[in-house]
Amino acid sequence: NKNQKLDPRLEKLNNETAHLYNDTEMNQLEQRMFGALDVGTRIFTYDLLEQPERDRKNGYVVDFDPETQMYEILMEEDIKLNYTIQLPQSKIAQRVVDCLIHHTKLEYSKLNDEKADIVLWNPILKKYNARVNTGDWTGRFLIFHPHQLKLPRGTRVKIENLQKRKHLNGVWGRVIRWMDSKRRYEVDLGNEKIFVRAEKAIAS
């Protein structure tokens, strides 16, 4: 149940990472906070070699430290204990809910305009693993190209594989909107807004 109340800390608004789009110049720490996952975001862990009992499990973001760039994570199985762990971005994947499926073809065209939740980004295949939430295929896990899932406004994305502005690769920002006319996302990076193709703005 996505709306279940879990821990009081998950109900508070994280004002420092609120989706406020402004033209104020940010310093490095502010930039990290702007691109950080919001408090309450559901995540999936992976490659926890030192904590195998919590590997490939679901949890929630409780806090983020911009100086150490570590997340405080409350695992679902630890909610009653109120026990949290510290993890870097490289060990967690955000769960993006209610993405609109579009631009699918052939036998998958019936999925267009249905909704899906992104479970994981596969950097090798460069595709999303997502669970369909509506329609005849509800509950099925499928693989989608980035351009086949429309990310909701405010989704945190990582800029990748830019050729002309390589200095922006690796920068985290937030989706403002998808523009069908341009076939690109408008993404707020905190200090500037850019237009990028779906495969270059990854919700990992």
Side-chain angles (χ1 to χ4, degrees), residues 59-110:
Y60 297 86
V61 172
V62 173
D63 202 359
F64 174 72
D65 187 332
E67 293 186 347
T68 63
Q69 300 187 67
M70 295 288 285
Y71 285 94
E72 183 179 1
I73 302 296
L74 177 65
M75 305 301 296
E76 284 188 346
E77 60 189 26
D78 295 327
I79 289 174
K80 291 184 179 180
L81 298 176
N82 199 28
Y83 175 77
T84 61
I85 59 176
Q86 303 289 323
L87 293 175
Q89 169 63 52
S90 60
K91 301 296 183 181
I92 61 177
Q94 63 178 317
R95 304 288 291 268
V96 184
V97 301
D98 290 337
C99 301
L100 182 71
I101 302 172
H102 62 169
H103 303 312
T104 56
K105 300 178 179 179
L106 302 176
E107 69 270 26
Y108 295 103
S109 61
K110 66 178 66 176

Short mmCIF file of all heavy atoms in Angstrom, two decimals, residues 59-110:
data_model
loop_
_atom_site.label_atom_id
_atom_site.label_comp_id
_atom_site.label_asym_id
_atom_site.label_seq_id
_atom_site.Cartn_x
_atom_site.Cartn_y
_atom_site.Cartn_z
N GLY A 59 12.86 -0.24 0.93
CA GLY A 59 12.98 0.65 2.08
C GLY A 59 12.54 2.05 1.71
O GLY A 59 11.99 2.28 0.63
N TYR A 60 12.79 3.01 2.62
CA TYR A 60 12.35 4.40 2.42
C TYR A 60 13.46 5.36 2.83
O TYR A 60 14.19 5.10 3.79
CB TYR A 60 11.10 4.69 3.24
CG TYR A 60 9.90 3.87 2.83
CD1 TYR A 60 9.70 2.60 3.35
CD2 TYR A 60 8.98 4.36 1.90
CE1 TYR A 60 8.61 1.83 2.96
CE2 TYR A 60 7.90 3.60 1.51
CZ TYR A 60 7.72 2.34 2.04
OH TYR A 60 6.64 1.58 1.64
N VAL A 61 13.56 6.46 2.11
CA VAL A 61 14.53 7.50 2.46
C VAL A 61 14.03 8.26 3.69
O VAL A 61 12.90 8.74 3.72
CB VAL A 61 14.73 8.49 1.29
CG1 VAL A 61 15.59 9.68 1.74
CG2 VAL A 61 15.35 7.79 0.10
N VAL A 62 14.88 8.35 4.69
CA VAL A 62 14.58 9.10 5.91
C VAL A 62 15.32 10.43 5.92
O VAL A 62 14.79 11.44 6.37
CB VAL A 62 14.96 8.27 7.17
CG1 VAL A 62 14.81 9.11 8.44
CG2 VAL A 62 14.08 7.03 7.26
N ASP A 63 16.55 10.44 5.39
CA ASP A 63 17.34 11.67 5.42
C ASP A 63 18.47 11.54 4.41
O ASP A 63 18.78 10.45 3.91
CB ASP A 63 17.90 11.91 6.82
CG ASP A 63 18.26 13.37 7.07
OD1 ASP A 63 18.10 14.19 6.15
OD2 ASP A 63 18.70 13.69 8.19
N PHE A 64 19.11 12.67 4.11
CA PHE A 64 20.26 12.71 3.21
C PHE A 64 21.26 13.72 3.72
O PHE A 64 20.89 14.84 4.11
CB PHE A 64 19.84 13.09 1.79
CG PHE A 64 20.99 13.28 0.84
CD1 PHE A 64 21.72 12.19 0.38
CD2 PHE A 64 21.34 14.56 0.40
CE1 PHE A 64 22.79 12.37 -0.50
CE2 PHE A 64 22.40 14.73 -0.48
CZ PHE A 64 23.12 13.64 -0.93
N ASP A 65 22.53 13.35 3.76
CA ASP A 65 23.60 14.24 4.19
C ASP A 65 24.38 14.70 2.95
O ASP A 65 25.08 13.89 2.33
CB ASP A 65 24.55 13.50 5.15
CG ASP A 65 25.59 14.43 5.76
OD1 ASP A 65 25.94 15.44 5.12
OD2 ASP A 65 26.06 14.14 6.88
N PRO A 66 24.28 15.97 2.58
CA PRO A 66 24.95 16.43 1.36
C PRO A 66 26.47 16.45 1.46
O PRO A 66 27.15 16.43 0.44
CB PRO A 66 24.39 17.84 1.17
CG PRO A 66 24.02 18.29 2.54
CD PRO A 66 23.52 17.05 3.23
N GLU A 67 26.99 16.48 2.67
CA GLU A 67 28.44 16.51 2.82
C GLU A 67 29.04 15.12 2.59
O GLU A 67 30.04 14.99 1.88
CB GLU A 67 28.81 17.03 4.21
CG GLU A 67 28.46 18.51 4.41
CD GLU A 67 28.97 19.05 5.73
OE1 GLU A 67 29.39 18.24 6.59
OE2 GLU A 67 28.97 20.28 5.90
N THR A 68 28.45 14.09 3.18
CA THR A 68 28.95 12.73 3.00
C THR A 68 28.30 12.05 1.81
O THR A 68 28.77 11.00 1.37
CB THR A 68 28.69 11.88 4.25
OG1 THR A 68 27.26 11.78 4.46
CG2 THR A 68 29.33 12.52 5.47
N GLN A 69 27.19 12.63 1.32
CA GLN A 69 26.39 12.08 0.22
C GLN A 69 25.88 10.67 0.57
O GLN A 69 25.83 9.79 -0.29
CB GLN A 69 27.19 12.07 -1.08
CG GLN A 69 27.65 13.45 -1.52
CD GLN A 69 28.27 13.45 -2.89
OE1 GLN A 69 27.62 13.21 -3.89
NE2 GLN A 69 29.58 13.73 -2.94
N MET A 70 25.51 10.51 1.82
CA MET A 70 24.95 9.24 2.30
C MET A 70 23.48 9.42 2.63
O MET A 70 23.07 10.45 3.18
CB MET A 70 25.70 8.75 3.53
CG MET A 70 27.16 8.41 3.27
SD MET A 70 27.39 6.89 2.31
CE MET A 70 27.02 5.66 3.57
N TYR A 71 22.71 8.39 2.31
CA TYR A 71 21.28 8.37 2.64
C TYR A 71 21.05 7.56 3.92
O TYR A 71 21.69 6.54 4.13
CB TYR A 71 20.47 7.74 1.52
CG TYR A 71 20.28 8.61 0.32
CD1 TYR A 71 21.15 8.54 -0.77
CD2 TYR A 71 19.22 9.52 0.25
CE1 TYR A 71 20.97 9.35 -1.88
CE2 TYR A 71 19.03 10.33 -0.86
CZ TYR A 71 19.91 10.24 -1.91
OH TYR A 71 19.73 11.03 -3.02
N GLU A 72 20.12 8.05 4.74
CA GLU A 72 19.64 7.26 5.86
C GLU A 72 18.39 6.54 5.38
O GLU A 72 17.44 7.16 4.92
CB GLU A 72 19.31 8.15 7.07
CG GLU A 72 18.88 7.34 8.29
CD GLU A 72 18.56 8.23 9.49
OE1 GLU A 72 18.66 9.46 9.36
OE2 GLU A 72 18.19 7.67 10.55
N ILE A 73 18.42 5.21 5.46
CA ILE A 73 17.37 4.38 4.89
C ILE A 73 16.68 3.55 5.98
O ILE A 73 17.33 2.92 6.82
CB ILE A 73 17.93 3.41 3.83
CG1 ILE A 73 18.63 4.19 2.71
CG2 ILE A 73 16.83 2.51 3.27
CD1 ILE A 73 17.73 5.08 1.90
N LEU A 74 15.35 3.58 5.96
CA LEU A 74 14.55 2.73 6.84
C LEU A 74 14.01 1.58 6.00
O LEU A 74 13.20 1.79 5.10
CB LEU A 74 13.39 3.53 7.45
CG LEU A 74 12.41 2.75 8.34
CD1 LEU A 74 13.11 2.24 9.59
CD2 LEU A 74 11.22 3.63 8.72
N MET A 75 14.51 0.37 6.26
CA MET A 75 14.05 -0.79 5.51
C MET A 75 12.65 -1.19 5.96
O MET A 75 12.29 -1.03 7.13
CB MET A 75 15.02 -1.97 5.71
CG MET A 75 16.47 -1.65 5.37
SD MET A 75 16.69 -1.13 3.65
CE MET A 75 16.20 -2.62 2.77
N GLU A 76 11.87 -1.71 5.04
CA GLU A 76 10.50 -2.11 5.38
C GLU A 76 10.48 -3.12 6.52
O GLU A 76 9.63 -3.06 7.40
CB GLU A 76 9.81 -2.70 4.15
CG GLU A 76 9.37 -1.66 3.13
CD GLU A 76 8.52 -2.24 2.02
OE1 GLU A 76 8.47 -3.48 1.88
OE2 GLU A 76 7.88 -1.45 1.30
N GLU A 77 11.42 -4.04 6.51
CA GLU A 77 11.44 -5.08 7.55
C GLU A 77 11.90 -4.55 8.91
O GLU A 77 11.77 -5.24 9.92
CB GLU A 77 12.36 -6.23 7.12
CG GLU A 77 13.79 -5.82 6.87
CD GLU A 77 14.62 -6.92 6.25
OE1 GLU A 77 14.05 -7.80 5.58
OE2 GLU A 77 15.85 -6.92 6.46
N ASP A 78 12.43 -3.31 8.93
CA ASP A 78 12.93 -2.73 10.18
C ASP A 78 12.03 -1.62 10.72
O ASP A 78 12.40 -0.92 11.66
CB ASP A 78 14.34 -2.15 9.97
CG ASP A 78 15.37 -3.21 9.64
OD1 ASP A 78 15.23 -4.33 10.16
OD2 ASP A 78 16.31 -2.91 8.88
N ILE A 79 10.85 -1.47 10.13
CA ILE A 79 9.96 -0.37 10.53
C ILE A 79 9.59 -0.47 12.01
O ILE A 79 9.62 0.53 12.74
CB ILE A 79 8.70 -0.35 9.65
CG1 ILE A 79 9.07 0.12 8.24
CG2 ILE A 79 7.63 0.57 10.24
CD1 ILE A 79 7.94 0.06 7.25
N LYS A 80 9.21 -1.64 12.47
CA LYS A 80 8.81 -1.80 13.87
C LYS A 80 9.97 -1.53 14.82
O LYS A 80 9.78 -1.05 15.94
CB LYS A 80 8.25 -3.20 14.10
CG LYS A 80 6.92 -3.45 13.41
CD LYS A 80 6.36 -4.82 13.75
CE LYS A 80 5.01 -5.05 13.07
NZ LYS A 80 4.45 -6.39 13.38
N LEU A 81 11.18 -1.83 14.37
CA LEU A 81 12.37 -1.61 15.21
C LEU A 81 12.85 -0.17 15.13
O LEU A 81 13.64 0.27 15.96
CB LEU A 81 13.49 -2.54 14.76
CG LEU A 81 13.23 -4.05 14.87
CD1 LEU A 81 14.41 -4.82 14.29
CD2 LEU A 81 12.99 -4.46 16.31
N ASN A 82 12.36 0.56 14.09
CA ASN A 82 12.78 1.94 13.86
C ASN A 82 14.31 2.01 13.71
O ASN A 82 14.96 2.94 14.19
CB ASN A 82 12.32 2.85 14.99
CG ASN A 82 12.33 4.32 14.58
OD1 ASN A 82 12.17 4.64 13.40
ND2 ASN A 82 12.53 5.21 15.54
N TYR A 83 14.86 1.01 13.01
CA TYR A 83 16.31 0.90 12.82
C TYR A 83 16.64 1.32 11.40
O TYR A 83 16.07 0.83 10.43
CB TYR A 83 16.76 -0.54 13.06
CG TYR A 83 18.22 -0.79 12.77
CD1 TYR A 83 19.20 -0.38 13.67
CD2 TYR A 83 18.61 -1.45 11.60
CE1 TYR A 83 20.54 -0.62 13.41
CE2 TYR A 83 19.95 -1.69 11.33
CZ TYR A 83 20.90 -1.27 12.24
OH TYR A 83 22.23 -1.51 11.98
N THR A 84 17.60 2.24 11.26
CA THR A 84 17.97 2.74 9.94
C THR A 84 19.43 2.40 9.62
O THR A 84 20.23 2.14 10.52
CB THR A 84 17.78 4.27 9.84
OG1 THR A 84 18.62 4.92 10.81
CG2 THR A 84 16.33 4.64 10.09
N ILE A 85 19.75 2.42 8.33
CA ILE A 85 21.11 2.16 7.88
C ILE A 85 21.54 3.29 6.95
O ILE A 85 20.71 4.00 6.39
CB ILE A 85 21.23 0.80 7.16
CG1 ILE A 85 20.30 0.75 5.94
CG2 ILE A 85 20.92 -0.34 8.12
CD1 ILE A 85 20.44 -0.53 5.12
N GLN A 86 22.86 3.44 6.80
CA GLN A 86 23.42 4.47 5.93
C GLN A 86 23.88 3.81 4.63
O GLN A 86 24.63 2.84 4.65
CB GLN A 86 24.61 5.15 6.61
CG GLN A 86 24.30 5.77 7.95
CD GLN A 86 23.44 7.02 7.82
OE1 GLN A 86 23.60 7.81 6.89
NE2 GLN A 86 22.54 7.22 8.76
N LEU A 87 23.44 4.37 3.50
CA LEU A 87 23.82 3.81 2.21
C LEU A 87 24.14 4.93 1.22
O LEU A 87 23.50 5.97 1.24
CB LEU A 87 22.69 2.95 1.63
CG LEU A 87 22.34 1.65 2.36
CD1 LEU A 87 21.13 1.01 1.71
CD2 LEU A 87 23.53 0.70 2.35
N PRO A 88 25.10 4.70 0.32
CA PRO A 88 25.40 5.67 -0.73
C PRO A 88 24.40 5.52 -1.88
O PRO A 88 23.70 4.50 -1.98
CB PRO A 88 26.81 5.29 -1.18
CG PRO A 88 26.85 3.80 -0.96
CD PRO A 88 26.05 3.56 0.30
N GLN A 89 24.36 6.50 -2.76
CA GLN A 89 23.48 6.45 -3.92
C GLN A 89 23.70 5.19 -4.76
O GLN A 89 22.77 4.63 -5.33
CB GLN A 89 23.69 7.69 -4.78
CG GLN A 89 23.01 7.64 -6.13
CD GLN A 89 21.50 7.55 -6.03
OE1 GLN A 89 20.90 8.35 -5.34
NE2 GLN A 89 20.89 6.57 -6.69
N SER A 90 24.95 4.74 -4.84
CA SER A 90 25.29 3.60 -5.69
C SER A 90 24.67 2.29 -5.24
O SER A 90 24.70 1.30 -5.97
CB SER A 90 26.82 3.44 -5.75
OG SER A 90 27.36 3.21 -4.46
N LYS A 91 24.08 2.27 -4.02
CA LYS A 91 23.50 1.03 -3.49
C LYS A 91 21.98 1.05 -3.45
O LYS A 91 21.36 0.11 -2.95
CB LYS A 91 24.03 0.78 -2.07
CG LYS A 91 25.54 0.65 -1.98
CD LYS A 91 26.07 -0.55 -2.75
CE LYS A 91 27.58 -0.68 -2.60
NZ LYS A 91 28.12 -1.83 -3.37
N ILE A 92 21.37 2.12 -3.96
CA ILE A 92 19.91 2.20 -3.92
C ILE A 92 19.37 2.64 -5.28
O ILE A 92 20.04 3.33 -6.04
CB ILE A 92 19.40 3.16 -2.83
CG1 ILE A 92 19.91 4.58 -3.09
CG2 ILE A 92 19.82 2.70 -1.44
CD1 ILE A 92 19.37 5.61 -2.09
N ALA A 93 18.15 2.21 -5.55
CA ALA A 93 17.44 2.63 -6.76
C ALA A 93 16.08 3.16 -6.34
O ALA A 93 15.39 2.55 -5.51
CB ALA A 93 17.27 1.46 -7.72
N GLN A 94 15.69 4.29 -6.89
CA GLN A 94 14.39 4.86 -6.53
C GLN A 94 13.27 4.11 -7.23
O GLN A 94 13.42 3.63 -8.34
CB GLN A 94 14.34 6.34 -6.90
CG GLN A 94 14.48 6.63 -8.38
CD GLN A 94 14.36 8.11 -8.71
OE1 GLN A 94 13.51 8.81 -8.19
NE2 GLN A 94 15.24 8.59 -9.57
N ARG A 95 12.12 4.03 -6.56
CA ARG A 95 10.92 3.45 -7.15
C ARG A 95 10.06 4.60 -7.64
O ARG A 95 9.50 5.35 -6.85
CB ARG A 95 10.17 2.61 -6.12
CG ARG A 95 10.99 1.50 -5.46
CD ARG A 95 11.28 0.37 -6.42
NE ARG A 95 10.08 -0.38 -6.76
CZ ARG A 95 9.67 -1.47 -6.09
NH1 ARG A 95 10.35 -1.91 -5.05
NH2 ARG A 95 8.58 -2.11 -6.46
N VAL A 96 9.96 4.76 -8.96
CA VAL A 96 9.19 5.85 -9.54
C VAL A 96 7.79 5.32 -9.87
O VAL A 96 7.65 4.40 -10.67
CB VAL A 96 9.85 6.40 -10.82
CG1 VAL A 96 9.07 7.60 -11.34
CG2 VAL A 96 11.30 6.78 -10.53
N VAL A 97 6.77 5.92 -9.25
CA VAL A 97 5.41 5.39 -9.39
C VAL A 97 4.62 6.18 -10.43
O VAL A 97 4.87 7.35 -10.69
CB VAL A 97 4.66 5.41 -8.04
CG1 VAL A 97 5.41 4.58 -7.01
CG2 VAL A 97 4.48 6.83 -7.53
N ASP A 98 3.65 5.47 -11.02
CA ASP A 98 2.68 6.06 -11.95
C ASP A 98 3.31 6.73 -13.16
O ASP A 98 2.95 7.85 -13.55
CB ASP A 98 1.78 7.06 -11.21
CG ASP A 98 0.82 6.37 -10.25
OD1 ASP A 98 0.55 5.18 -10.45
OD2 ASP A 98 0.36 7.02 -9.30
N CYS A 99 4.26 6.03 -13.77
CA CYS A 99 4.81 6.50 -15.06
C CYS A 99 3.82 6.14 -16.16
O CYS A 99 3.25 5.05 -16.16
CB CYS A 99 6.15 5.83 -15.34
SG CYS A 99 7.42 6.12 -14.10
N LEU A 100 3.62 7.03 -17.10
CA LEU A 100 2.71 6.77 -18.21
C LEU A 100 3.44 6.01 -19.30
O LEU A 100 4.50 6.42 -19.77
CB LEU A 100 2.17 8.09 -18.77
CG LEU A 100 1.16 7.96 -19.92
CD1 LEU A 100 -0.16 7.42 -19.39
CD2 LEU A 100 0.96 9.31 -20.60
N ILE A 101 2.86 4.89 -19.71
CA ILE A 101 3.43 4.10 -20.80
C ILE A 101 3.00 4.72 -22.13
O ILE A 101 1.81 4.98 -22.34
CB ILE A 101 2.96 2.64 -20.73
CG1 ILE A 101 3.37 2.02 -19.38
CG2 ILE A 101 3.56 1.83 -21.87
CD1 ILE A 101 2.78 0.64 -19.14
N HIS A 102 3.95 4.96 -23.01
CA HIS A 102 3.62 5.50 -24.33
C HIS A 102 4.68 5.07 -25.35
O HIS A 102 5.72 4.54 -24.99
CB HIS A 102 3.48 7.03 -24.29
CG HIS A 102 4.70 7.78 -23.90
ND1 HIS A 102 4.83 9.14 -24.02
CD2 HIS A 102 5.89 7.37 -23.39
CE1 HIS A 102 6.00 9.54 -23.59
NE2 HIS A 102 6.67 8.49 -23.21
N HIS A 103 4.36 5.25 -26.61
CA HIS A 103 5.27 4.94 -27.71
C HIS A 103 5.64 3.47 -27.80
O HIS A 103 6.71 3.13 -28.33
CB HIS A 103 6.54 5.80 -27.63
CG HIS A 103 6.29 7.27 -27.61
ND1 HIS A 103 5.45 7.90 -28.50
CD2 HIS A 103 6.75 8.26 -26.79
CE1 HIS A 103 5.41 9.20 -28.25
NE2 HIS A 103 6.18 9.45 -27.21
N THR A 104 4.80 2.56 -27.29
CA THR A 104 5.04 1.14 -27.50
C THR A 104 4.36 0.71 -28.81
O THR A 104 3.37 1.30 -29.22
CB THR A 104 4.49 0.29 -26.33
OG1 THR A 104 3.09 0.57 -26.16
CG2 THR A 104 5.22 0.63 -25.04
N LYS A 105 4.89 -0.34 -29.42
CA LYS A 105 4.41 -0.73 -30.74
C LYS A 105 4.03 -2.21 -30.78
O LYS A 105 4.25 -2.96 -29.84
CB LYS A 105 5.48 -0.44 -31.80
CG LYS A 105 5.87 1.03 -31.90
CD LYS A 105 6.97 1.24 -32.93
CE LYS A 105 7.36 2.71 -33.05
NZ LYS A 105 8.45 2.92 -34.03
N LEU A 106 3.45 -2.61 -31.90
CA LEU A 106 3.07 -3.98 -32.20
C LEU A 106 2.21 -4.57 -31.09
O LEU A 106 1.24 -3.95 -30.66
CB LEU A 106 4.33 -4.82 -32.45
CG LEU A 106 5.23 -4.31 -33.61
CD1 LEU A 106 6.49 -5.14 -33.71
CD2 LEU A 106 4.46 -4.30 -34.90
N GLU A 107 2.59 -5.76 -30.58
CA GLU A 107 1.74 -6.42 -29.59
C GLU A 107 1.69 -5.69 -28.26
O GLU A 107 0.81 -5.95 -27.43
CB GLU A 107 2.19 -7.87 -29.37
CG GLU A 107 3.53 -8.05 -28.66
CD GLU A 107 4.69 -8.10 -29.63
OE1 GLU A 107 4.56 -7.54 -30.74
OE2 GLU A 107 5.71 -8.71 -29.27
N TYR A 108 2.63 -4.78 -28.03
CA TYR A 108 2.66 -4.03 -26.78
C TYR A 108 1.90 -2.70 -26.87
O TYR A 108 1.81 -1.98 -25.88
CB TYR A 108 4.09 -3.76 -26.35
CG TYR A 108 4.87 -5.01 -26.00
CD1 TYR A 108 5.80 -5.54 -26.90
CD2 TYR A 108 4.65 -5.68 -24.80
CE1 TYR A 108 6.50 -6.70 -26.59
CE2 TYR A 108 5.35 -6.84 -24.48
CZ TYR A 108 6.27 -7.34 -25.39
OH TYR A 108 6.96 -8.49 -25.08
N SER A 109 1.35 -2.38 -28.01
CA SER A 109 0.68 -1.10 -28.19
C SER A 109 -0.54 -0.95 -27.27
O SER A 109 -0.94 0.16 -26.93
CB SER A 109 0.25 -0.91 -29.64
OG SER A 109 -0.66 -1.92 -30.04
N LYS A 110 -1.11 -2.08 -26.84
CA LYS A 110 -2.26 -2.03 -25.93
C LYS A 110 -1.87 -1.46 -24.56
O LYS A 110 -2.74 -1.07 -23.78
CB LYS A 110 -2.86 -3.41 -25.75
CG LYS A 110 -1.96 -4.42 -25.05
CD LYS A 110 -2.63 -5.77 -24.84
CE LYS A 110 -2.90 -6.45 -26.17
NZ LYS A 110 -3.46 -7.81 -25.96
#
